Amino acid sequence: MNIPTLAQVDIEEKPYTSHVEVANEAHNDGDIKGDLTLNEAMEAEAIEHSMGIIEALRTYPWAVFWSISVSMCVVSEAYDNALINTLFGLSAFKKQFGVYLPASQKYTLTAPWQSALSQSSAIGCFIGIIFTGWISEKIGYRKTAILGQFLMIAAIFLTFFADRLWILLLGEIACGFPWGMFINLAPAYASEVAPLPLRGFLTVYVQLCWCIGQFIAAGVLYSVNTRTDKWAYKIPFAVQWAWPLPLIFLLIFAPESPWWLVRKGRLAEAEKVVRRLGGKIDQDPKNTVAMMVRTNEIEIANETGVSFKDCFKGVDRRRTLIVCMIFGMQPLSGLTLGNQFVFFSEQAGLDSSNAFKMNLGNNAIAFLGTIFSWFLISWFGRRTIYLGGLMFAMADLYIIAFIGIAKSSSGVNWATSGLMIAYNFIYDAAIGPLTYAIISEMSSVRLRSKSIGLARNTYYITHIIAGITTPYMINSTAGNLKGKAGFIWGTMAVFCFVLAFFHLPETKGRNYRELDLLFHRKTPARKFASTNIEEVAEE
C-alpha cells in the first residue's frame, strides 16, 4: 500500500494528491468520483469548529449510539473491579477464603491475599492491552472487541467455579486479558467516530461506564451480603455472563473506525462509514475523509509510524509520556483507597451492613459526578478541570487523615466514610473522566491505540503498586492506619498536581491536525490554549 507522504503535502499545508488516487493505489476503490482538494478538507474542518453540541447530536446520532455501545464493554471490568474489592467485606467470602482472628472473633482475608486478588486482573489487562495494540491495527477495532467478548465468556468460568484462592487468582488474571482489550478500544473508538463538539462527551462516557459497572456490583453485593452460603459470592460472579452476548450482537453491526480505514487506505469504505455515522449530514462525506487524509499525511511527514517503538520517537515521545503520566496518576491521586470503600469503611469503624448501604450511595454519587463532568467539559478546558480535581482531591484526603487522628467514635466513623464518598464524587467529576478525554486527544491518530495501551499499562503498574501497599496501610492485621492513610495519598495527590501543572496541555476545541501542529512546533503545555494555530501553521 502506497500512502503518499508529504511530497505534495508538507507541514506548511501545500496542496496534496487526491484521496481517489490513494484509494485506487491501495485497494482499487474506484467508486469514488472526483478529486478532493485541500480546500474541501479545510471546509470540513471549519464546519466541525462551527458546529454546536446540539447540532452535532442531530447531525451524528449514530456516532453517539455506536460510541456508547462500544464503551459499554468497559462495564464488565468496572463491575469486577468493584466486585473483588467489595468481596473482602462479605462475610461468606471471608469465611471461605479468609483466616479466623480470635481477638475479634471474625474472619478476614489476609493482607497478602487481599493485595494479590485486588491486583491480579491488572496482570491480565497488561498483557491484553499489548495484544490489542497489535491486533486492532491488523483487523480493526470492531473485530477485536468481538474477540474480547468471546474470551470474556470463557474466563468467567474460572472465577465462578473457584473454591481455592489460587484458582480465583488465575480466574481474575484470565478475565483481565479481555478487560485490557476493552479499556484500550473504548476511548480510541469513541475519539475516532465522534465529531469535534462531541469528542469530549463520548470519551468521558467511558468513565460513566465504570460508574455503571460499579453501581451494578454494589447493588448485587448488597442483595447477597446477608447470605451465609457459597452463593453469596458465586451469584455476583455469575452476573458477569449477562452482558457479553448482547454486546456481541451489537458489535456485529457496529461500523469500523473511519480513521482506521483511512490509515489502511480504504477510503471508499471510510466515506461510507462517515455517511452511516450521520443522520443528517449537509456536507459531502468526502470532505470529512479528506480532512482525515490531511491529518494522516501530516503525521506521516512527522515520521509517525504505527508500531510501539514509534511512540517513543521524535514528537510522539512527548505525547506518549503525557498520556502515560495522566493515566498513571489515577491510582496515585487516591483512587486505590476509594476503590476499597467497603473494606476501608469497615476498618474505619462502620459495621458491615452500614458499610454496604453506604457503598450504594457511594456509587450513586460517583455516577452523578460523571454526569456533572459533562457540564464541566462544556464550560472549562481539560487542563483546568483536571488540575482543579487534583486540588479538591488532595484537600479531601488530608481532611480524612486529620479526622483519622481523632479517637474512634460513631461520629468520626461516619464522617470518614462520608468524606470518602466526597472524594469519589470529586474523582468521578474530574480526574477519572477527564483522563479518557485527555489520552484520546493527546495521542497522534496513527498511534492512538498503542499510545492508549501504553498509558493504560502505566496505570496498571501504578495501580498494582498502590493496590499492594494500600491493604497493608489500612488492614487491621498490618498497618491499621485507617483514615490516617489519607496523609500518604494526599501527599501523592500534591505530587500529581505539580506534574500536571507543568506538563499537561489544553486540548479542548482543537482538532487532531491542530494538535499535531502544536506538538510539532514544541508549544509549551501552558500555551496550548492561547496559541494562534494559523500562526503556527505558517511558521
Side-chain angles (χ1 to χ4, degrees):
M1 180 179 66
N2 296 319
I3 297 178
T5 63
L6 296 189
Q8 295 85 20
V9 187
D10 61 16
I11 202 73
E12 282 77 30
E13 312 293 351
K14 296 176 183 175
Y16 61 97
T17 187
S18 77
H19 82 274
V20 180
E21 291 180 21
V22 181
N24 287 339
E25 288 178 18
H27 292 282
N28 295 317
D29 293 329
D31 57 330
I32 303 178
K33 307 290 185 183
D35 289 348
L36 288 181
T37 66
L38 174 62
N39 289 335
E40 289 171 307
M42 293 179 70
E43 179 185 344
E45 196 172 288
I47 290 174
E48 265 206 335
H49 273 297
S50 63
M51 189 181 293
I53 295 171
I54 301 301
E55 184 183 356
L57 286 169
R58 291 173 178 169
T59 305
Y60 292 98
W62 289 106
V64 175
F65 175 80
W66 289 116
S67 174
I68 288 174
S69 298
V70 173
S71 294
M72 287 298 289
C73 293
V74 175
V75 169
S76 59
E77 182 185 3
Y79 175 90
D80 186 83
N81 186 269
L83 174 66
I84 198 66
N85 284 300
T86 308
L87 283 177
F88 301 150
L90 193 68
S91 298
F93 183 85
K94 289 188 289 187
K95 187 174 182 179
Q96 172 67 29
F97 297 106
V99 296
Y100 183 74
L101 298 178
S104 62
Q105 296 184 341
K106 293 181 180 179
Y107 286 90
T108 189
L109 201 65
T110 61
W113 272 111
Q114 188 178 339
S115 296
L117 286 174
S118 63
Q119 306 311 312
S120 54
S121 63
I123 298 171
C125 287
F126 192 97
I127 301 169
I129 282 174
I130 298 297
F131 174 77
T132 305
W134 171 76
I135 195 67
S136 63
E137 191 60 31
K138 297 289 183 182
I139 66 174
Y141 296 170
R142 184 180 68 89
K143 291 180 181 178
T144 304
I146 293 172
L147 173 62
Q149 292 297 339
F150 280 110
L151 294 174
M152 187 76 253
I153 292 172
I156 294 170
F157 278 95
L158 274 172
T159 58
F160 179 77
F161 289 105
D163 59 357
R164 298 287 188 276
L165 280 169
W166 67 269
I167 299 176
L168 183 57
L169 184 73
L170 290 177
E172 287 293 305
I173 293 173
C175 287
F177 189 90
W179 291 333
M181 299 172 70
F182 303 147
I183 199 63
N184 185 320
L185 293 170
Y189 185 86
S191 68
E192 295 191 7
V193 299
L196 180 60
L198 301 179
R199 194 175 64 199
F201 296 94
L202 293 179
T203 50
V204 161
Y205 178 77
V206 176
Q207 180 66 26
L208 191 63
C209 290
W210 271 89
C211 294
I212 292 170
Q214 290 171 337
F215 189 76
I216 294 172
V220 171
L221 285 162
Y222 179 71
S223 68
V224 300
N225 87 93
T226 56
R227 296 184 68 110
T228 58
D229 59 4
K230 63 182 181 180
W231 293 103
Y233 54 88
K234 282 187 176 290
I235 288 173
F237 283 128
V239 168
Q240 293 177 101
W241 275 313
W243 34 78
L245 287 179
L247 285 172
I248 289 171
F249 178 79
L250 269 177
L251 292 169
I252 288 173
F253 299 100
E256 187 51 78
S257 160
W259 286 91
W260 181 83
L261 292 169
V262 166
R263 292 197 295 273
K264 296 299 178 182
R266 294 157 60 176
L267 306 183
E269 293 177 56
E271 183 181 327
K272 291 176 183 177
V273 168
V274 171
R275 186 179 288 110
R276 182 182 171 190
L277 291 173
K280 294 171 58 179
I281 302 179
D282 294 329
Q283 72 177 63
D284 192 330
K286 286 189 290 187
N287 294 5
T288 302
V289 174
M291 179 178 65
M292 295 176 183
V293 172
R294 182 190 189 196
T295 302
N296 189 52
E297 289 179 337
I298 287 174
E299 293 189 358
I300 292 174
N302 288 335
E303 299 181 349
T304 299
V306 292
S307 67
F308 277 109
K309 67 179 181 180
D310 290 312
C311 293
F312 299 97
K313 290 182 178 180
V315 173
D316 288 292
R317 183 189 300 111
R318 178 188 177 192
R319 304 175 82 156
T320 300
L321 292 175
I322 291 172
V323 296
C324 288
M325 174 190 73
I326 293 300
F327 231 145
M329 289 194 308
Q330 278 192 329
L332 300 181
S333 60
L335 172 63
T336 309
L337 196 63
N339 278 346
Q340 300 195 22
F341 180 83
V342 170
F343 187 76
F344 174 78
S345 296
E346 289 181 347
Q347 297 301 301
L350 290 186
D351 62 52
S352 179
S353 177
N354 284 328
F356 275 96
K357 288 178 182 177
M358 289 288 281
N359 192 43
L360 280 171
N362 174 55
N363 283 280
I365 292 296
F367 184 93
L368 292 176
T370 304
I371 297 294
F372 184 57
S373 73
W374 289 352
F375 294 95
L376 290 178
I377 63 174
S378 64
W379 299 331
F380 305 105
R382 319 298 196 233
R383 174 183 165 89
T384 302
I385 300 169
Y386 195 87
L387 291 175
L390 286 172
M391 287 182 64
F392 282 107
M394 60 190 182
D396 187 273
L397 289 167
Y398 276 126
I399 294 172
I400 290 174
F402 281 111
I403 289 178
I405 297 175
K407 185 178 179 180
S408 180
S409 66
S410 177
V412 168
N413 299 343
W414 282 102
T416 301
S417 186
L419 283 165
M420 186 52 67
I421 290 178
Y423 169 84
N424 283 327
F425 176 83
I426 295 166
Y427 178 87
D428 285 291
I431 302 169
L434 266 294
T435 294
Y436 292 102
I438 291 167
I439 63 166
S440 301
E441 296 170 338
M442 204 68 63
S443 52
S444 62
V445 175
R446 290 172 62 80
L447 288 170
R448 177 158 298 129
S449 178
K450 291 179 174 62
S451 292
I452 291 175
L454 290 169
R456 186 64 181 179
N457 273 347
T458 303
Y459 162 88
Y460 286 123
I461 291 170
T462 56
H463 182 67
I464 289 172
I465 296 171
I468 289 174
T469 56
T470 298
Y472 285 96
M473 295 178 194
I474 63 177
N475 199 304
S476 58
T477 64
N480 199 28
L481 290 178
K482 300 180 180 178
K484 292 189 286 293
F487 282 122
I488 298 172
W489 295 117
T491 302
M492 292 304 299
V494 173
F495 171 72
C496 292
F497 177 86
V498 173
L499 274 180
F501 181 82
F502 288 105
H503 298 290
L504 177 61
E506 180 57 69
T507 56
K508 183 183 180 182
R510 300 291 195 189
N511 63 34
Y512 297 132
R513 178 191 70 91
E514 292 170 337
L515 290 171
D516 284 342
L517 291 173
L518 288 168
F519 276 109
H520 179 76
R521 299 302 182 190
K522 299 180 180 179
T523 307
R526 284 170 287 172
K527 294 185 178 180
F528 261 59
S530 60
T531 299
N532 186 319
I533 195 65
E534 298 308 322
E535 292 178 1
V536 173
E538 292 172 1
E539 290 179 9

